[in-house]
Structure formats: C-alpha cells, structure tokens
Amino acid sequence: SSGINAEYGQMSKRLTTMNSRYEALESRRNLEIEGFKTDVQMLRKRVQELEKQLIRVSLKEKENPEMYVLKHVKSTAERSKKLMGEVNKVKSRLYSVENNMRRNF
C-alpha cells in the first residue's frame, strides 16, 4: 500500500511538472508568435516607406526631365538601385518570417 502511495506521489509530481513545462512552452510559443507578428508589421511598414521613397525619386525625374537627367542621372540611378536593393532585402526578410511562422505554428 505504501509502495502504491509513493508511486502515485511520484506520478503526481511528474504530471504537475509536465503540466507546468507545457504551460511555459505554450506561453513562450505565444510570445514568439507575437514577436513574429510585430516583425512582420515592422517589415511591411519599412517596405511601404521604401516604396514611397522610390516613387518620390521616380517622380522627381518627371518634373523637368531634361535638367534633372543632365544634373542627377548618376546619383538617382545609384539611389534607386540602393533603394530597390533595400526593398528586396526587406521583402525577403518579410517572406522568410512569414514562412517561418507558417511552418512553426
């Protein structure tokens, strides 16, 4: 009888430990999901900002094409290339985070 009670006590402790570990794991998982969502929102906002910048640069070219092209072709091309590279990097990170979220949750 005392052996059964001891065994029951050990199993009860194990169950309590496993339940608390599971709750901690679930809590961590929820925090990670929250973090991923925040990252996705920030990356989307950054993509929008970069796209707006790119549009502004493109619109400047249309204001006075002859003068603008003569004065700023090289710098505009470099800025546009840099902005496109940054937009692509941010989009890539965004897709990566979204894919990780889908795979893990």
Side-chain angles (χ1 to χ4, degrees):
S1 173
S2 68
I4 293 175
N5 284 339
E7 202 172 311
Y8 175 77
Q10 286 177 343
M11 290 188 72
S12 178
K13 273 186 182 179
R14 269 196 214 154
L15 179 62
T16 303
T17 302
M18 295 298 270
N19 281 338
S20 64
R21 285 181 184 171
Y22 177 77
E23 287 171 7
L25 182 64
E26 190 70 22
S27 175
R28 257 193 325 272
R29 181 177 167 267
N30 288 335
L31 289 174
E32 283 182 7
I33 289 172
E34 187 95 14
F36 280 134
K37 287 180 181 178
T38 301
D39 288 348
V40 168
Q41 287 173 341
M42 288 179 5
L43 289 170
R44 280 196 174 130
K45 185 182 266 186
R46 183 67 180 142
V47 166
Q48 289 173 345
E49 290 170 4
L50 290 170
E51 286 175 339
K52 284 179 187 176
Q53 270 185 305
L54 190 58
I55 289 170
R56 270 188 251 130
V57 168
S58 298
L59 289 177
K60 279 185 178 181
E61 291 178 17
K62 294 177 183 174
E63 288 174 4
N64 188 348
E66 295 83 16
M67 292 303 287
Y68 191 82
V69 169
L70 290 173
K71 290 181 181 179
H72 303 289
V73 168
K74 185 175 180 182
S75 65
T76 300
E78 288 172 356
R79 280 188 289 161
S80 294
K81 192 174 183 180
K82 184 179 175 184
L83 286 173
M84 278 305 295
E86 208 170 327
V87 167
N88 288 334
K89 281 183 197 174
V90 172
K91 281 184 177 179
S92 173
R93 288 197 319 232
L94 173 67
Y95 297 142
S96 174
V97 168
E98 286 178 336
N99 285 335
N100 284 338
M101 250 176 74
R102 279 191 209 108
R103 267 189 264 131
N104 293 325
F105 307 104

